[in-house]
Amino acid sequence: MTEPATCADGKRLAGFSVFALFFIYFFQAIGGERIYSKSIRIFALDNLHFSSSEATYLNSSFWISFSIGRFLGLWWPYSDYGRTFFWFGFRYFVEHNNEVALWVLMHPMLLFIAPLFPSGVAWSDHYLKMSGIGITILIAPMGSIGGAAYIWILGFVYANHGPRSFLYMVAVYCRCLCQRLPDVLRRLSSWR
């Protein structure tokens, strides 16, 4: 199904290291994506006091921007510029915490969140010799565990510390996304 040693010219340790990095990547990418998508409407209602219809429009526009980001990710890969904008844009939103900042900054951020999953699949196929079953084994456990873990932690923190905790959870997600996984993978693949 998967042969981790193939990414490192027969060196199993390097192959397993790449495999472990992808587990962490999918845990992070899918888990953070879930907290954003499942909680943005509740945050808008509880913290910014949107009406129900405004929060629904926000959630709908979230999914439209997310779909556009997935589509644009085919031609416009996740870049250093994207990571920088993503991090500083979110920091601005945390500091200002108002409706305009949410509406204006959410959509460009989604253009950088959306391609994470397909980019991870492409990277895993580039660095590991993967079959369909191998991709499923790589993605399904970490994506589902990451999604469940992030949602559970957010629910606990949200219930105990209020709606603003959503911002801090997304800030942790943003910070983790700003790490340089492609550079780490390039270094590991140089073990070949």
Side-chain angles (χ1 to χ4, degrees), residues 73-135:
L74 294 170
W75 297 282
W76 184 32
Y78 188 63
S79 64
D80 287 341
Y81 172 75
R83 283 194 297 260
T84 303
F85 175 82
F86 188 67
W87 176 242
F88 287 110
F90 189 77
R91 284 185 55 205
Y92 176 83
F93 174 66
V94 168
E95 291 169 6
H96 291 86
N97 192 26
N98 63 37
E99 293 179 29
V100 175
L102 180 62
W103 277 102
V104 170
L105 294 172
M106 179 182 75
H107 301 290
M109 280 190 245
L110 290 172
L111 296 177
F112 300 108
I113 292 173
L116 292 176
F117 177 77
S119 295
V121 172
W123 285 337
S124 66
D125 194 43
H126 178 74
Y127 288 102
L128 296 171
K129 183 178 178 183
M130 301 293 284
S131 65
I133 298 286
I135 292 272

Side-chain angles (χ1 to χ4, degrees), residues 9-92:
D9 200 23
K11 297 178 183 173
R12 288 208 181 275
L13 180 60
F16 282 117
S17 299
V18 172
F19 207 75
L21 281 172
F22 280 117
F23 270 123
I24 294 166
Y25 177 83
F26 285 115
F27 178 91
Q28 184 64 28
I30 296 171
E33 190 178 287
R34 296 270 165 81
I35 62 164
Y36 212 126
S37 66
K38 305 293 184 210
S39 305
I40 192 72
R41 185 177 191 281
I42 294 167
F43 172 76
L45 289 168
D46 291 349
N47 192 56
L48 299 175
H49 308 294
F50 278 36
S51 68
S52 181
S53 61
E54 287 174 327
T56 302
Y57 290 139
L58 179 72
N59 200 39
S60 297
S61 68
F62 171 92
W63 287 109
I64 290 168
S65 293
F66 189 81
S67 299
I68 291 169
R70 279 272 164 97
F71 182 72
L72 290 177
L74 294 170
W75 297 282
W76 184 32
Y78 188 63
S79 64
D80 287 341
Y81 172 75
R83 283 194 297 260
T84 303
F85 175 82
F86 188 67
W87 176 242
F88 287 110
F90 189 77
R91 284 185 55 205
Y92 176 83

